[in-house]
Amino acid sequence: MSGLILLVFIAVIIAFFYTRLRGKMKLPVAGKHWKTAIILIVLVLLISWAATHNGGK
């Protein structure tokens, strides 16, 4: 369970910097940008974790 909490925490931190970068480039920042960034980061990290663990074999 703590691994999932850490995964979401890392995703939120990266999404924070992503949305700050969007703001500095004068692009709009809305809730959908936060949600999309967090979901994509979580998926990439989960895929990367699954690839390194070889399904428990």
Side-chain angles (χ1 to χ4, degrees):
M1 185 60 146
S2 63
L4 290 175
I5 294 170
L6 180 62
L7 176 68
V8 173
F9 183 67
I10 291 170
V12 169
I13 289 173
I14 295 171
F16 172 76
F17 288 113
Y18 167 73
T19 53
R20 282 191 50 107
L21 180 66
R22 282 186 62 92
K24 288 193 182 278
M25 293 189 309
K26 304 292 186 209
L27 296 170
V29 178
K32 66 180 180 180
H33 298 114
W34 276 91
K35 183 173 54 173
T36 304
I38 291 172
I39 290 171
L40 287 175
I41 294 164
V42 165
L43 286 176
V44 166
L45 291 176
L46 279 176
I47 290 170
S48 137
W49 176 81
T52 60
H53 280 80
N54 269 342
K57 293 181 182 177

